[in-house]
Every structure is written in C-alpha cells, then in structure tokens.
Amino acid sequence: REQVIEKFGVPPELVVDAQALIGDTSDNVPGVPGIGPKTAAELLLEFGSLEGVLSRASEIKQQKRRESLIQFAEQARMSRRLVELDCNAPVPHSLDELQMRAPQQEVLVPFLQAQNFKSIISRAADRFKFGAIPAASVAVVAQDSAAAAKGEYTLVSDEAALLHWVAEAEQAGIVAFDTETTGLDAMQAELVGVSLAVIEGKACYIPFGHVTEGVAAEAAKPAVAQVDLFAAPPEPEKISTLRAGQLPLETAIAILKPLLENPAVLKIGQNIKYDMQILARYGVDVQGIEDTMLMSYVLDAGLHGHGMDELAQLFLNHACISYDAVTGTGRARKSFAEVELEPARDYAAEDADVTLRLYNRLKPRVVAEKMLTVYETLERRLVPVLRRMEAEGIKVDVAMLEAMSADFAIRIKGFEEEIYQLAGREFTVGSPKQLGEVLFDELKLDGGKKSAKSGAYATGAEVLEELAESGHDIAAKVLEWRQLSKLKSTYTDALKNQINPKTGRVHTSFSMAVASTGRLSSSDPNLQNIPIRTEEGRKIRNAFVAEKGKKLISADYSQIELRLLAHIADMQELRQAFRDGRDIHAATASQMFGVPLDEVNGDLRRKAKTINFGIIYGISAHGLAQRLGISRQEAAQYIEQYFLQYPGIKAYMTQATEFAHAHGYVQTLYGRKVHLKDINNKNPNLRNFSERAAINAPLQGTAADIIKRAMIALDARLKAELPEAKMLLQVHDELLVEAPEALAERAAAIMKEEMERAADLSIPLTVEVNWGDDWGSIH
C-alpha cells in the first residue's frame, strides 16, 4: 500500500480514479485535459473519489482546472470505465495449460542468433541447461538472413494479381509499402509505382508510370530556312510513352485506396510522411501507420543515422540496391520513371521488404526499452499533423522579395567596395582562401591559423568576430557582407523559385529524425534559420503573408527552457518569479548582484539575461567573458555567484553529466533518450562538448516534446472546432496558424489554451499570441 501511495500519490483504491483523470493517450483513454498525475492525486485526496471531484468541481478555485473538470465530466466517467479491469472476463485456458515451461533449445537459440542477442543466448543456456551451442550456427544464420534478404519479388501487371496482394494484406492485418516517384519534392513529384510486402522475403512492385523515350518524327522543313551557322545543333525532340505491362494509374489507385485507408490494417513505412504526402495528392488518405525511421530515432537518436540503407546494414547486415545502380549517375542519370520494369521491381520491392524486416526488429525494441510512450504519443501521432502542415504551405509576397533582393545586391556591392579599399586591392570576398591571405599574409593581422589539411587560413565566423572585436573594420565588413549574401541567395532569390506553381505557396518539409534532442528541422526552404535578431532577417519574415481575408496568428512559448530549468533544478526563487509574472532577468540580477528589484538597471539585466541563457548551454567563463566583454576572471566570478545563488542548478548539472557518463545518454521529462556517443571519449574537446550537451539536451528535448504535444492537441481541436483555421509552421518554440480574419481571435484563444496546458509543470507555461497580415509584423 505504501509503495502504491509513493508511486501514484493515492492509495490502491483510488488508482483507477487517478487514471481516469490523467488519461492514457497510448490506450486512447482521453481523461481530462490539463490534469496530470500530481493534480489528479491532489484532487482525489481532497474530494475522496472521481465522482466526488466531478460533483464538487464548482468548488475548485483554479479557474482553468474547474472549467476543464466541468466540461469533460462525462469524458472522465467514460475514461474510468475504459481503465477499470473486468474481473469477470472468461479465461479459455486451464491453469495447467498456462504453466511456464522450459523453452526448446532448437527453436529459441536460432531465433536469438538471428536477432544477434548474444548475451541472452549465454544467459538462457545457463538458466535452462542447454547443450552445446555450435559456434558455426551464427554464421549459418547470417548467411540464411543475407540470402533471404534478396527476396522473392514479383511484378504486378494485372488487376487479379493486385487484388490477391490486397487480400493477403487485409488477411494479415499488416503491410509494408513504399512509393516510387519522379523526384524528392512530395508536393510536385509524380507517382510512378507502389511496392508492398506482407511477409519477410516476399514483396511485389505495382508499376503504372514507367515510360520509354523515343525521338519524335522530323517535321517537314520550310522551303527556305534561316540558318545560324554558329548555333549548337538543336536537341532532338523526345516523346514519352508508357511502357507495356503496367496497370493504368486510376485502376491501381482505386484498388489500393481501400487498403491504404483502412485503419485496421497496419501500414509500415520508412519515412512514411513522404509517401502519405504523395498519395494524398492522388486522393488517398493513408491511415493506421507505423514508421521504422521514427522507431530507430526514438531508440538511438545521436548514435547513427536513420535512413533505410544505414538501418539495413546495421540491423539486417544487408546492403540495399542503391538508387544510383538503377538510375545511373551524373549526366547519364535518368528519372525513376524511365527505369525498365525488372530493375525497378527489384529496387522498389526490396524497399518494402527491408522496411518490414526493420519493423519486425525495431518494434520489439521500442517496447522492451520502454520507448513506447515517446514513439506512440509523440512521433507517430505527429506524422499526419506535419503532413497536413506541409500540404498547406504559406504564401510569400514575390514583389517584396524582389525589392529586398535588389536592395541587398546594392548593399553587397557597397560592402565589397569598402572591403577592397581596406584590403588595398580587389579579391573574391567569398573565397576563404583569398580572404585568409589578405587578412593574415598581406594585412598581417593577428590570430591567423592554417589548417594542417588544406594549408589555408581559418576564416570562420568566430575568427572574424574576434578580429572585429579587436577593432579591425575589414572583418566586420566581411561579416556583414556574408550575412546579406546568405540572406539574398537563401531567401530573397531562392524563395521565388520554391513557390509551388499549383498552389502559389511555399511548402517547407519538416524532418523528424535529424536533431538528436527531438526538435524538428525545416528544409526546402529552411524556415527555421531566418535570423530574427537582425533588421534584415525580420524583413524576410515580412514577406510571408496571409491570404486575402485571412490573418497569420503566431503563438510563442515565453522562456520555455528557463522555465524547465527552474522546474527540473528545483529553483524556488525562479519558480516564484515565474509564478508572480515578474521580469525573470531583472529578478535574477536582483538575486545575483544584491540590488533591489526596482533598482536593477539595463546593464545588470543584460548581464543576468546572458548568464541565464548561457547556463542552459553550459557556458564557460571564457564564453561568458566574450559575450559580456569582460575579463575571464570577472566572468568566472559571475558564474560562481550564480551557482551560490541557485545551488539547484549546480546540482542538476552535476547529476546530468554523471548520469550521462554512466549510461551514455540523458532523458527528457517525457522519457526521450538523447544519446551522447562521445561522453566518455578520451579526446577532451569531444568529451567537454558532450558534457555541455548533457546539461542542455534534457531542457531542449523536453521543450521539443512539449511543443509536439501542443501541435497534436491543437491540430485535433482546430479540426473539431475551427476547421477553417490551419496550422502552417513550427519554428523552435513558435506555432503559426492561418485563419479567416473574423475567426482570428477565437483561433488565437484556442492556440494559447492548448499550448499552455501541453505540460503539467510546477510553474506555468506562458504563451504570447499575436496576429496580423504578415509574419514579421506580429513579432
């Protein structure tokens, strides 16, 4: 009884009531929104039971909690029925049949060898007194596995064969699938074929978009032709015709659609979001998904990549057929649609087969290594949310981009002229080699270091910033030149070419398995790297606009990582400051420097802000000295004073690094593992970097988990209550929604509610919400 109370906060007879209030997303138990384990325990101890809490909810002082309990009372009662065990469930087997028996060596050992569970084999042999295990059997299993990985792959070219495969998938309740397309842009690539696998070693490919190219017949020439003797001969006009032996696209989609949309049949993919996006453009809304890339990601983030080829090599000891092998390389590369059917079959069917094999090896690990909550409640549920966001895209003002691009070009030219004047000659500013020679050989500036590999001087941002701080104008000008050049090439020039001709909008792609901390990354275009601390960066955001009659609504978590630090490190002073809604940096300055809060000036606040955020990233005395422009000794004193004022932080940092050294990873509040493969590296630079990551990763990772929880909840709520409002972007701690102008205020209120109740912390999450006609003006 005491252990139950210690674990759940309530005695055994109230555990079911607590579960009904909390809910369980992995089992589809809704619970009451905003009620976590701690709050549930407090309520039940005060009111005695779930029914007591619900019948007396009007007495609860906290408004949000009271309203949620009243609004979702019936949902809580239903949740209780869902979590309560049925003690009268029939048991179809006798107790004798359920007795544990020793395993059969000839069955268990080959299975364990195939999975490469070496230590379990020896443990099982000791426990169950197995006979001799032939050492050669491991090699035999590996050979069998490699042979089987080649698979039995068939080409499906008629309706009867496809219907047979669909029936097999429906019977099995599981199918791995993959799409083959003409490109990587999921919003514009054309579908060429689909592959399916129901059991390991057997897969099919259904082609319907493969073409053969020929030269068009020469047109009749005019009697007199103007000939340009110096022009290159014209390329012969090519025509594409569908290859024989393929089902019509419409027929194949019509047969596959019911299978792919049936949530009762599990669909397994590798980076399945891409396949879902492609199929959605053909009217297929894929349901009931699993993703092997995301399974690998939640298991081994930080240890290796999560692409299919790498995973196949790691877990199956199998080298997949490369894309280059079937399409060629360089100028000879052809589209997958031009690949002949037999090599296309082998390549595509193997993708589905390998995906199924990976699923059968990774899913048991997700369960065994207790990563099911992260995978099921965060990553897997986020896939359809991100797919819809990518499909929505965002509008950009082309005229504004062109004006900015022209302005940047003039200013870039001006910086070049100033740099040439300071250098004493013209050179290619964008060439690191030439720049290094100018700075360190010709101008004789201090700090020049040559790379042992290339022999060229290092001219990265850190080197130039040190030179600029030492008063060298040429370094400052080069930094400004680089910033404008990057903004021009990456955004004002490139964005115009990234507008989808069918939608008239820009569609970024969100990568889910890149950052080891769980953060999403954005590409094609990258909308997360637009600098917002500079005037030029903010101007770029002004070009992202709402459609006519609509508004863009931005909701941004305020200082979420600092709040998490105060929560995790048990910093009572900071917790209270957040609860009181005080200026957190002024409060820190007051605590650190012993100055009354109303006497904290701008300089002290700036120092406290730098220290607050620097501590999160494990800043050193040297780093803080550089940021504040003070001596290293003074910076070390600031850090020491900070730790004296907030001893919980020092304890947290020590605990985090010790845990990382012992286990090789750290965890977020929601159980996500961030592996740090260099935490025990003998190289001090690599080890120190990992130690700093061990301090920051639980905070950054928890923040990433929280905003993912918010996105999933917000998506469901908008669909149910305000379908006209669409989520467009997620950038770090910010969500961007587009809604009709008349509904903007309601959408903003929903965003704030869902984001603020996405986590149950000891301090409140605060979300700042604004809306307007463009992204830049609402910040």
Side-chain angles (χ1 to χ4, degrees), residues 29-43:
V29 179
V32 177
I35 303 294
K38 187 178 176 183
T39 304
E42 289 174 1
L43 290 170

Side-chain angles (χ1 to χ4, degrees), residues 76-95:
R77 293 186 177 99
M78 177 188 71
S79 296
R80 194 184 192 287
R81 292 194 297 275
L82 288 172
V83 297
E84 190 172 24
L85 297 179
D86 181 359
C87 297
N88 297 314
V91 182
H93 303 283
S94 68
L95 288 177

Side-chain angles (χ1 to χ4, degrees), residues 441-503:
D441 287 341
E442 298 173 21
L443 297 180
K444 308 295 183 185
L445 303 186
D446 293 332
K449 292 181 182 178
K450 286 189 175 182
S451 164
K453 192 173 182 179
S454 67
Y457 287 104
T459 58
E462 192 174 330
V463 173
L464 294 180
E465 283 166 4
E466 284 188 15
L467 290 172
E469 286 171 7
S470 301
H472 298 294
D473 284 348
I474 188 169
K477 299 295 181 187
V478 171
L479 282 169
E480 292 187 80
W481 179 92
R482 281 185 180 178
Q483 183 196 44
L484 283 181
S485 297
K486 184 176 181 180
L487 287 175
K488 185 176 186 297
S489 62
T490 308
Y491 295 108
T492 58
D493 290 349
L495 277 173
K496 294 180 293 183
N497 300 323
Q498 290 172 316
I499 297 172
N500 186 302
K502 293 181 180 177
T503 66

